[in-house]
Amino acid sequence: MTIKVYEENGTSVIAPEGKIDHVTVEEFEAKITELGNANDSLILDMAGVEYVSSAALRAILNANDLMEGKSGLVIRNVNNKVMEILRITGFAGYLDIR
């Protein structure tokens, strides 16, 4: 997994690529925590993510909690495979997915 970070209209965008699983989740969580603590809003661009494990789901939920009370976390460009996981787990109804 690689993680790209860039600014878009004053908002930090985190764009991981590859699989987010038990091997890569620590790096993913660290980047979210770093940027979440420094910003009022975050965008998680999932266009390059091919797989998420339960560890990744926990990290996404923690990111959402971190951004609560701020402008929030937006998740975008989720592919069908990952979206199905989010639906099955109930996360799709809880998170701001666009």
Side-chain angles (χ1 to χ4, degrees):
M1 177 192 72
T2 59
I3 300 174
K4 295 179 184 175
V5 175
Y6 58 94
E7 292 288 317
E8 185 176 287
N9 299 322
T11 299
S12 290
V13 179
I14 302 170
E17 293 182 359
K19 296 178 181 179
I20 307 173
D21 57 19
H22 69 282
V23 174
T24 60
V25 74
E26 189 174 314
E27 178 185 2
F28 179 66
E29 283 183 307
K31 187 56 69 178
I32 288 172
T33 301
E34 173 191 337
L35 292 171
N37 285 331
N39 293 279
D40 286 332
S41 63
L42 286 178
I43 296 172
L44 179 55
D45 190 332
M46 301 286 281
V49 176
E50 57 194 60
Y51 171 80
V52 292
S53 71
S54 59
L57 294 175
R58 185 192 75 241
I60 292 169
L61 186 61
N62 288 342
N64 193 65
D65 290 347
L66 176 66
M67 299 312 293
E68 193 172 318
K70 299 181 178 185
S71 295
L73 174 71
V74 172
I75 302 170
R76 68 178 185 195
N77 299 322
V78 179
N79 71 35
N80 290 337
K81 184 178 179 181
V82 173
M83 187 56 132
E84 185 63 21
I85 293 168
L86 294 172
R87 279 191 199 106
I88 289 169
T89 59
F91 282 44
Y94 180 73
L95 301 169
D96 184 359
I97 302 172
R98 300 180 189 177

